[in-house]
Every structure is written in structure tokens, then in C-alpha cells.
Amino acid sequence: MPSSHLAMEFFIHNWYLFVALIVIVFLLVVGPVTQRLHGVKIANAAQAVQLINREGGVVVDVCEPNEFKNGHIPNAINAPLPKLNEHLRQFEKHKDKPVIVTCRTGNRSVKGAVLLRKHGFPTVYTLTGGLQAWEKDNLPVER
């Protein structure tokens, strides 16, 4: 049997694996592409510290309140992602500063950062790896 025939047979019998692969690749790509398209920048924990200390950066934590109580970056403002629209007015005074959006792992923060950019915030970052990366770098956490 020619190898192309074997490959086609494998594909036919395992089509669901290829669909799963396509979905996974799509999900991995959509976040970074969305960030770029909306002008959201990325900061690691060390860069976030510099933004906070040198430029008066403001940290917006989009975690749920119970997650926020379990630990957050010092002086972070809690604005849960589903209610972020309701908090926009309170952030207006910070529009001229870098805004660093974070959550527990860095997944929800992309949606929050895109929303802030859509509402005219010029300098918005997401914290790569979220609070977990912050803690891994032994940076302070409020509880």
C-alpha cells in the first residue's frame, strides 16, 4: 500500500483528532491576535513592576471577588470581568497612566484589556501569566 493511502486512511479513521487539533490551534492563536488587533500590549511581572513604579501604572484585577480576596497584586483594583463595564467610570481618572489588566492565570485579562482599549484607554497591558506568574517571581501579594 502506498504511504499516501495509509495516511488518508489514518485521517479518515481519526478525523476527530484533526478537528480537535484545529480547535486547539485556533484557541491558542485567537488571544494574541485579538490583543494585537486592539493595541493591547503584554508585560511580564518585571515589566509590570516598572510600569507601576516608574509610570504610576494602575493594576486592574478582573478576577471574581472571592479570588481577589485569596490574593492580588498590592493596590490592585478589583473589577470582575462580567461587571467591568460598570467600573469604567471609576477608571477614567487613570486614563493617562498605563493600565495593567490581570487575573489569576492571564486568560480573562485579555478580554478586560480589549474592553478598556475599546473605551479609549490608550495604554493597556495584560500581565503574562497573571497572578500565578507574579507569585512565581516572588513579588508581593495582598490577601
Side-chain angles (χ1 to χ4, degrees), residues 31-82:
V33 168
T34 301
Q35 275 186 263
R36 271 218 179 120
L37 288 174
H38 288 55
V40 173
K41 300 173 185 176
I42 300 169
N44 62 31
Q47 292 165 326
V49 168
Q50 288 182 351
L51 289 166
I52 294 165
N53 291 338
R54 294 184 182 165
E55 299 181 40
V58 176
V59 177
V60 174
D61 190 320
V62 295
C63 288
E64 292 299 317
N66 60 335
E67 291 175 283
F68 188 77
K69 287 178 190 171
N70 287 332
H72 57 271
I73 295 171
N75 301 316
I77 301 167
N78 185 220
L81 186 59

